[in-house]
């Protein structure tokens, strides 16, 4: 019997695809998205700009930022018109679960590529579910403004300020793609069967919802709330670690140093200058947890990951915490659709093997 190590069973470091879309260097703490370092992109590019780069990389097309902006604006309007079909399937569900059900109901729109239909629909669905949770009707999109600005408008029910739009746009750019993470791998596996993009991104979203992947930001805020004050940082963290708990927003399968996206988001929060964001307190919690994790597990570097500052940024933007995972998906949809198209072009089915450790017939 072939006995696999723990790391091989988790497919650590096993390449599942060749991609031009993004590259994560876990030892050096580097992330390249479509040929640029993430910090440069977050500084220079809009979400529409980086989405154009990803789609062009996946398909060889030559879309500009303006092309993507206009197709996403049209797609948001189409998705809004489809809400009466999509929302009934989400009745009684939380924002996270309702988003899954509504995304599963998406289908092709005449004259729009599937990838635009999907990326355009995501914030419309998230906005409608958030408004419904407050007892309000969905807020109609505005196709003339940016994807980040319109996302905030539909979520908050008001026109966002430029500094808020800049912060959400920086977040979208920062998390739009990230190598062969669990949800992107799921998306590529589904696309490799030649299932369509709607099936592929629905699967990707399902993988994103778990707390070991994209479901961590809400628990990060719960942790900060539970700690509550500076004096309680040490006892709270020490107790949680003594109980063997995982602290949300720390650790990563690939990074052995600090997740470079954490710093990009920290800068975005500083620029936002939001009243509600207690960055000094969060910074003290972060510093103590990093030191405590180093002490507890000296051989296994566990550093801050993107979800810690995601939680603080989205909270400062007054986005309800129940919507954090769908908002992550709004950004990651750009990467998922690009990966699905890149995978389909290869024509190669992803079909790994397993190591059988069960009973064997006696004869
Ligand atoms: N807090 C405390 N201990 C931790 C943490 C953590 N956040 N992360 C890992 N450890 C410990 C594990 O318990 C384990 O200890 P052990 O060997 O004594 O059992 C050791 O460190 C190694 O952990 P692994 O399981 O090998 O780490 P893995 O690479 O599988 O996990 C993961 C990575 C899932 C992100 C993990 O660090 C974790 O659960 N973090 C908290 C959740 C989180 O922040 N998720 C968001 C990830 S970022 C993203 O996906 C967008």
């Amino acid at each position: 019997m072939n006995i696999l190590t723990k790391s091989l069973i988790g497919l650590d470091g096993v390449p599942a695809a060749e991609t031009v879309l993004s590259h994560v260097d876990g030892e050096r703490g580097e992330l390249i998205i479509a040929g640029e370092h993430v910090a440069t992109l977050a500084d220079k590019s809009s979400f529409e700009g980086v989405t154009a780069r990803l789609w062009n990389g996946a398909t060889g097309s030559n879309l500009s930022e303006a092309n993507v902006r206009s197709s996403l604006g049209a797609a948001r309007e189409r998705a809004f018109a489809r809400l009466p079909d999509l929302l009934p399937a989400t009745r009684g569900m939380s924002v996270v679960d309702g988003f899954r059900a509504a995304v599963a109901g998406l289908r092709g729109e005449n004259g729009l590529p599937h990838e635009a239909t999907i990326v355009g629909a995501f914030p419309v669905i998230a906005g409608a579910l958030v408004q419904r949770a407050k007892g309000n009707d969905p807020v109609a999109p505005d196709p003339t403004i940016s994807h980040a600005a319109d996302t905030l408008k539909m979520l908050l029910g008001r026109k966002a300020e430029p500094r808020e739009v800049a912060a959400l746009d920086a977040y979208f750019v920062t998390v739009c793609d990230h190598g062969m993470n669990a949800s992107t791998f799921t998306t590529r596996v589904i696309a490799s069967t030649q299932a369509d993009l709607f099936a592929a991104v629905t699967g990707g979203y399902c993988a994103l919802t778990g707390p070991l992947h994209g479901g961590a930001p809400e628990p990060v805020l719960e942790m900060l709330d539970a700690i509550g004050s500076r004096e309680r940082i040490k006892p709270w963290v020490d107790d949680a670690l003594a109980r063997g708990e995982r602290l949300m927003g720390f650790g990563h399968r690939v990074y052995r140093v600090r997740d470079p996206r954490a710093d990009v988001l920290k800068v975005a929060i500083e620029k936002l200058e939001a009243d509600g964001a207690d960055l000094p307190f969060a910074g003290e919690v972060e510093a103590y947890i990093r030191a405590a994790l180093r002490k507890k597990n000296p051989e296994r570097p566990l550093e801050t990951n993107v979800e810690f500052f995601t939680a603080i940024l989205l909270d400062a933007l007054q986005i309800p915490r129940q919507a954090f995972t769908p908002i992550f998906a709004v950004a990651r949809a750009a990467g998922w659709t690009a990966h699905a198209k890149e995978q389909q072009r290869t024509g190669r089915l992803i079909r790994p093997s397993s190591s059988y450790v069960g009973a064997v017939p006696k004869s």
Side-chain angles (χ1 to χ4, degrees), residues 93 95-105 118 122 181-188 190 197-216 325-326 328-330 332-333 336:
M93 291 180 168
V95 175
V96 169
D97 292 344
F99 191 84
R100 184 186 69 226
V103 165
I118 289 165
F122 273 26
N181 60 84
S183 58
T184 300
F185 179 58
T186 306
T187 303
R188 282 192 85 122
I190 297 170
L197 250 57
F198 299 102
V201 299
T202 303
Y205 175 72
C206 292
L208 187 73
T209 54
L212 300 193
H213 188 13
T325 305
F328 189 169
V330 170
R332 188 53 65 83
W336 290 337

Side-chain angles (χ1 to χ4, degrees), residues 49 51-53 55-56 59-68 71 115:
T51 301
R53 294 170 77 117
W55 289 348
N56 290 340
T59 64
S61 58
N62 194 20
L63 296 169
S64 65
E65 178 178 0
N67 295 147
V68 170
S71 65
E115 55 273 28

Side-chain angles (χ1 to χ4, degrees), residues 6-7 10 12 175 178 181-183 208 210-217 219-220 240-241 244-256 259 261 289 293 296-297 300-308 310 328 332:
K6 182 183 166 200
S7 68
D12 304 22
V175 303
H178 195 242
N181 60 84
S183 58
L208 187 73
L212 300 193
H213 188 13
V220 166
L241 288 178
E245 284 177 20
R246 289 192 176 206
L247 302 175
M248 294 292 134
F250 295 86
H252 199 274
R253 173 58 62 84
V254 181
Y255 291 118
R256 289 296 168 265
D259 182 336
R261 299 169 299 173
I289 290 179
L293 288 172
K296 180 164 186 255
N297 222 333
R300 172 74 166 90
L302 294 169
E303 285 287 338
T304 320
N305 67 45
V306 67
E307 301 291 48
F308 188 78
T310 291
F328 189 169
R332 188 53 65 83

Side-chain angles (χ1 to χ4, degrees), residues 129-210:
L129 293 170
V130 164
Q131 292 301 340
R132 185 180 69 186
K134 294 187 205 160
N136 299 335
D137 289 334
V139 175
D142 177 350
T144 66
I145 61 180
S146 74
H147 205 59
D150 214 11
T151 300
L152 281 172
K153 175 175 173 272
M154 291 184 282
L155 284 171
L156 305 178
R158 64 169 170 82
K159 186 172 180 286
E161 295 173 32
R163 65 188 174 86
E164 295 174 314
V165 175
L168 190 67
D169 201 39
Y171 168 72
F172 280 176
V173 171
T174 305
V175 303
C176 68
D177 198 35
H178 195 242
M180 203 48 50
N181 60 84
S183 58
T184 300
F185 179 58
T186 306
T187 303
R188 282 192 85 122
V189 170
I190 297 170
S192 83
T193 70
Q194 301 292 333
D196 68 18
L197 250 57
F198 299 102
V201 299
T202 303
Y205 175 72
C206 292
L208 187 73
T209 54

